[in-house]
Amino acid sequence: MAFKFSLEATDTDTAARAGRISTAHGEVLTPAFMPVGTAGSVKTLTPDELSAAGADILLANTYHLSLRPGAETVREMGGLHRFMGWSGSILTDSGGFQVMSLSPLRKVTDGGVEFRSHLDGSRRLLTPEEAIRLQDGLGTDIAMSLDELVELPALPEVVRGAVDRTLRWAARGLEERERLRSAGRGAMALFGINQGGTDAGERARCFEALGAMPFEGFAIGGLWVGEGRSLGLDMVEHECAQMPRDRARYLMGVGHPVDVVEAVARGVDMFDCVLPTRNARRGTVFISTGRLVVKNAAYARDERPLDPACDCYTCRRFTRAYLRHLFAARELLAMRLASLHAVHHMVQLARRARRAVTEGRYRAFREEFLSRYHSGDTLAPSSAPA
Amino acid sequence: MAFKFSLEATDTDTAARAGRISTAHGEVLTPAFMPVGTAGSVKTLTPDELSAAGADILLANTYHLSLRPGAETVREMGGLHRFMGWSGSILTDSGGFQVMSLSPLRKVTDGGVEFRSHLDGSRRLLTPEEAIRLQDGLGTDIAMSLDELVELPALPEVVRGAVDRTLRWAARGLEERERLRSAGRGAMALFGINQGGTDAGERARCFEALGAMPFEGFAIGGLWVGEGRSLGLDMVEHECAQMPRDRARYLMGVGHPVDVVEAVARGVDMFDCVLPTRNARRGTVFISTGRLVVKNAAYARDERPLDPACDCYTCRRFTRAYLRHLFAARELLAMRLASLHAVHHMVQLARRARRAVTEGRYRAFREEFLSRYHSGDTLAPSSAPA
């Protein structure tokens, strides 16, 4: 019950907000980008490097951790914070998204999602209640409600059915947290997830019910799944307009720098995405002037850092030439140094957005960011992979 | 010409020595364990982590670097130190060993070694002179002479022939360095390599000639290739007894903790080996009480650090349970944290050996080390892989 969200500033020209979340593990400044630590590690990086990059919260995946090493093992080891050595805040997802994307077989009923583990094929059942218990076992600061996702495009009645089920599961998750609390557990905050595909009416209907439930924050789910940036941002704008000012807003799975800057302008507070670090491990990083494919031969003798405007460890210490060599030689240090830049870049982008809001100049910040991002400065003329 | 070796202490009960090498990149305390940075990176680790582990010198492989990114590229980027961001000393090998072990085709003549690149199949020729020029191009502090290796067991005349050729190549390497120096380059030290298989007579004959050449140090090559620890240590003992006191002695490719402690007792100053870090990447680390297979299920809930006696970053921050989980989940952070311990462990083992020598208690140190190493304390009873 340590959770608190306070709004510290709102922009006048846009819907951008600057806020602060308090949890049992410290303060989270918003807008916030949450690096993703899927299996109890943000791939290749230590918790100290995440802190040094400015991260104060990260996301961990309940599906992965509950299969391996198991929520019970994590609980016995003192919870996820202690297990992985991370002293900041943690948000866990419900596990639902990854059941849908990773399990070889799954069956959704009102009871929950039946699935098979992608690791050993064992049959499992994820109910809205179990999703809450697993996250409590991990010791998360912010848990997510189990929701039903539909693949888009979908028939209106399918979208409607998923919204109805998501609402029933949201209520059951809250009830389960109450049961845990009466047993002295369940201290974490709980966020509800709004669904409704790309149907503004369904999304509004979903939030009418969801917004009345005692969630500490609200997430926008089921977007950035192929519907296009413009439609996605429209949905975000409509949803944020409907959401109460005093609750945190989390746009799930979004993390391209341009999307983050545009979604903040529409009122979003929190983001997570594997894209920046997954790209980085493959030799492509976002820098302030665009997308740098550092493994390209064009950078073989480039003595500049990945991003001349960046002050992360990688950019302070190493050249593009060295990074390019490490990728060419398939050295693991390549993935690590690129990931470090990627996390730092996204966390600090959110931090800069926050400062722009508190200083009342978000519109100018956004324009400057976009024009710089599309400039391609310091990038090789050809971006064809080597 | 910045190279200097000074002997600071010799043990009374054993042949162990404590010394100090000065190079243009600082001081190297001996006995020294050199982590191996094959392709311009000690796999998974940053130069800062190597420094933090206490390393003051590392080994880089001329074969790998000259094929990719090329000695010329490294030279243009300001030399290997600058390219990889390492401010300590560097020793490079001649490339010969890896030509023999990695090239799909090679032909050894008096002229040198003809081979094909394992990367692109291109035909190359490594001469004793080219080995020196490549190492000079990399900007190394200590270069190695090209030698001829024979696979053991070998006929006496084959061993004899390789010794003769190694001696001719040694002289040609020194001459090439003189030519470089007259052109204002070739500032690095050069070590000669003694060969002779497991024939003490051949090794003595080799050193009679090699020891008369103006090398700054001498290496013992061609051992630990299957001849057995006891025979290998006998060879080391005989060779060290023959070597001048005022020159550094380097036992190539040796790095099991027990071998290091035993070889120091016989008068060796320098070591390198990929074994500790290669093992670490596969989930096995040397600790003070033996060999720990951390990926074993036995450690799934073990809250102790890898080595309770170690103060490396990994042991200060993480449990065996977490490391075991990271290996089970194939997280890259596992390889990194285990490698960090591995480097720290070997570098600090050499450092502790040095202190024992300067304090005149090497025999007691060796006994204590061996008894502890074989105790198996804190290790799981069964060492069967999970």
Side-chain angles (χ1 to χ4, degrees):
Chain A
M1 281 139 295
F3 184 93
K4 195 179 149 221
F5 173 72
S6 36
L7 198 58
E8 301 197 336
T10 47
D11 189 52
T12 43
D13 295 332
T14 71
R17 304 141 45 101
R20 185 180 300 259
I21 291 169
S22 304
T23 79
H25 292 92
E27 309 253 290
V28 177
L29 301 178
T30 65
F33 177 82
M34 301 182 282
V36 180
T38 304
S41 121
V42 175
K43 291 191 190 309
T44 80
L45 302 179
T46 64
D48 296 299
E49 285 166 339
L50 300 174
S51 297
D56 41 29
I57 185 168
L58 57 81
L59 182 144
N61 290 127
T62 298
Y63 172 81
H64 285 94
L65 289 167
S66 64
L67 292 184
R68 186 174 56 196
E72 195 48 36
T73 298
V74 173
R75 202 181 64 77
E76 279 181 41
M77 296 294 105
L80 186 55
H81 296 82
R82 182 150 172 250
F83 184 59
M84 67 179 289
W86 168 247
S87 58
S89 298
I90 294 177
L91 180 147
T92 44
D93 63 4
S94 68
F97 182 79
Q98 281 166 332
V99 164
M100 301 308 279
S101 53
L102 292 175
S103 170
L105 273 174
R106 69 264 171 184
K107 194 179 142 200
V108 186
T109 65
D110 259 5
V113 191
E114 251 186 278
F115 67 100
R116 282 183 186 280
S117 158
H118 75 292
L119 296 179
D120 62 7
S122 61
R123 196 181 286 275
R124 313 259 180 155
L125 174 67
L126 183 66
T127 65
E129 291 81 7
E130 179 68 3
I132 301 300
R133 287 192 296 267
L134 288 170
Q135 294 177 83
D136 184 57
L138 294 172
T140 192
D141 297 295
I142 304 173
M144 301 301 298
S145 191
L146 186 65
D147 57 341
E148 186 182 0
L149 295 155
V150 290
E151 269 181 65
L152 298 181
L155 293 172
E157 59 268 32
V158 173
V159 173
R160 205 155 50 234
V163 163
D164 291 339
R165 186 170 277 154
T166 292
L167 290 171
R168 287 193 296 272
W169 287 358
R172 284 167 57 186
L174 281 165
E175 281 160 25
E176 182 60 23
R177 186 176 62 165
E178 283 315 300
R179 273 191 292 276
L180 286 170
R181 286 190 171 178
S182 64
R185 294 172 66 172
M188 75 277 192
L190 186 55
F191 282 19
I193 304 177
N194 211 48
Q195 291 289 356
T198 49
D199 180 334
E202 274 306 305
R203 287 201 164 262
R205 183 177 75 87
C206 189
F207 197 75
E208 260 169 53
L210 197 78
M213 300 184 195
F215 286 111
E216 281 83 10
F218 296 105
I220 302 171
L223 292 176
W224 268 258
V225 290
E227 77 280 5
R229 174 174 286 163
S230 162
L231 182 53
L233 287 172
D234 280 352
M235 293 291 134
V236 167
E237 188 168 351
H238 291 135
E239 294 222 8
C240 285
Q242 199 181 0
M243 288 180 171
R245 280 170 46 87
D246 65 348
R247 238 73 65 83
R249 303 164 182 171
Y250 162 29
L251 179 57
M252 302 181 83
V254 173
H256 187 291
V258 169
D259 294 329
V260 166
V261 168
E262 292 290 7
V264 165
R266 287 158 177 83
V268 172
D269 304 310
M270 303 165 74
F271 301 88
D272 80 284
C273 193
V274 294
L275 177 79
T277 41
R278 182 175 290 163
N279 278 353
R281 292 198 302 280
R282 295 172 181 168
T284 298
V285 289
F286 295 120
I287 68 170
S288 51
T289 54
R291 199 168 152 276
L292 175 77
V293 186
V294 69
K295 63 181 180 187
N296 275 3
Y299 301 111
R301 294 176 186 206
D302 191 332
E303 298 215 51
R304 290 172 293 192
L306 289 178
D307 187 345
C310 179
D311 66 347
C312 80
Y313 176 75
T314 302
C315 289
R316 278 185 284 116
R317 294 281 274 116
F318 303 100
T319 61
R320 292 174 181 180
Y322 184 58
L323 270 289
R324 195 267 164 183
H325 162 66
L326 292 180
F327 274 109
R330 291 183 192 79
E331 286 285 332
L332 293 174
L333 185 58
M335 294 199 255
R336 192 188 148 184
L337 293 178
S339 297
L340 196 54
H341 166 80
V343 166
H344 184 276
H345 185 74
M346 293 308 301
V347 168
Q348 292 303 320
L349 176 62
R351 201 56 52 88
R352 286 204 306 280
R354 186 178 202 275
R355 276 195 294 275
V357 174
T358 58
E359 292 166 8
R361 49 171 184 84
Y362 195 80
R363 188 147 71 178
F365 166 82
R366 174 171 62 169
E367 275 165 24
E368 197 188 307
F369 167 83
L370 291 173
S371 117
R372 213 161 156 219
Y373 185 81
H374 292 119
S375 73
D377 280 356
T378 85
L379 297 181
S382 154
S383 61
Chain B
M1 282 142 295
F3 184 92
K4 195 178 148 223
F5 172 71
S6 35
L7 197 57
E8 301 198 336
T10 48
D11 189 51
T12 43
D13 295 330
T14 71
R17 304 141 46 102
R20 186 181 298 260
I21 292 170
S22 304
T23 77
H25 293 91
E27 310 252 292
V28 177
L29 301 178
T30 65
F33 177 82
M34 301 183 281
V36 180
T38 304
S41 122
V42 175
K43 292 193 191 307
T44 78
L45 302 180
T46 64
D48 296 299
E49 285 166 339
L50 300 173
S51 296
D56 41 29
I57 185 169
L58 56 82
L59 182 145
N61 289 128
T62 297
Y63 172 81
H64 285 94
L65 289 166
S66 64
L67 293 183
R68 185 174 57 196
E72 194 48 37
T73 297
V74 173
R75 202 180 64 77
E76 279 180 41
M77 295 294 105
L80 186 55
H81 295 82
R82 184 153 171 246
F83 184 58
M84 67 179 288
W86 169 248
S87 59
S89 298
I90 294 177
L91 180 148
T92 44
D93 62 4
S94 68
F97 181 79
Q98 281 165 332
V99 165
M100 301 309 278
S101 52
L102 292 175
S103 170
L105 273 175
R106 70 264 171 183
K107 194 178 141 201
V108 185
T109 66
D110 259 5
V113 192
E114 252 185 277
F115 68 100
R116 282 183 186 280
S117 158
H118 75 292
L119 297 179
D120 63 7
S122 61
R123 195 181 284 277
R124 314 260 178 151
L125 175 66
L126 183 65
T127 65
E129 292 81 7
E130 180 68 2
I132 301 300
R133 287 192 296 266
L134 288 170
Q135 294 176 82
D136 184 57
L138 294 173
T140 191
D141 296 295
I142 304 174
M144 300 301 298
S145 190
L146 186 65
D147 57 342
E148 186 183 359
L149 296 155
V150 290
E151 270 180 63
L152 297 180
L155 293 172
E157 59 266 32
V158 173
V159 173
R160 206 155 48 234
V163 163
D164 291 339
R165 187 170 275 154
T166 292
L167 290 170
R168 287 194 295 274
W169 287 358
R172 282 167 59 186
L174 281 165
E175 281 160 27
E176 182 61 23
R177 185 176 62 164
E178 283 316 300
R179 274 190 292 276
L180 286 171
R181 285 189 172 180
S182 64
R185 294 172 65 172
M188 74 279 191
L190 185 55
F191 282 18
I193 303 176
N194 212 49
Q195 291 289 357
T198 49
D199 180 335
E202 275 305 305
R203 289 204 163 258
R205 183 176 75 85
C206 188
F207 198 76
E208 260 168 53
L210 197 78
M213 300 183 194
F215 287 110
E216 280 83 9
F218 296 104
I220 302 172
L223 292 177
W224 269 256
V225 290
E227 77 280 6
R229 173 174 287 162
S230 161
L231 182 53
L233 287 171
D234 281 352
M235 293 291 134
V236 167
E237 187 167 351
H238 291 135
E239 293 221 8
C240 285
Q242 200 182 359
M243 288 180 170
R245 278 170 49 87
D246 65 348
R247 239 71 67 81
R249 303 163 183 172
Y250 161 29
L251 179 56
M252 302 181 82
V254 173
H256 187 289
V258 170
D259 294 328
V260 167
V261 168
E262 292 290 7
V264 165
R266 287 159 178 82
V268 173
D269 304 310
M270 302 164 74
F271 300 88
D272 81 283
C273 193
V274 294
L275 177 79
T277 41
R278 182 176 290 163
N279 278 352
R281 292 197 302 280
R282 295 171 181 169
T284 298
V285 290
F286 295 120
I287 69 170
S288 51
T289 54
R291 198 168 153 276
L292 175 76
V293 186
V294 69
K295 63 180 179 186
N296 275 3
Y299 301 112
R301 294 176 186 205
D302 191 332
E303 299 215 50
R304 289 172 294 191
L306 289 178
D307 187 346
C310 178
D311 66 347
C312 80
Y313 175 75
T314 301
C315 289
R316 278 185 284 115
R317 294 280 273 117
F318 303 100
T319 62
R320 293 175 181 179
Y322 184 58
L323 271 290
R324 195 267 164 182
H325 163 66
L326 292 180
F327 274 108
R330 292 185 190 79
E331 286 285 331
L332 293 173
L333 185 57
M335 294 199 255
R336 193 188 148 184
L337 293 177
S339 297
L340 195 55
H341 167 80
V343 166
H344 185 276
H345 186 74
M346 293 309 301
V347 168
Q348 292 303 318
L349 176 62
R351 201 55 54 87
R352 285 204 306 282
R354 185 178 203 276
R355 276 196 295 275
V357 174
T358 58
E359 292 166 8
R361 51 171 182 84
Y362 194 80
R363 188 149 68 177
F365 167 81
R366 175 173 59 168
E367 276 164 25
E368 196 188 307
F369 167 82
L370 291 173
S371 117
R372 214 163 157 219
Y373 185 82
H374 292 119
S375 72
D377 280 358
T378 84
L379 297 181
S382 155
S383 61

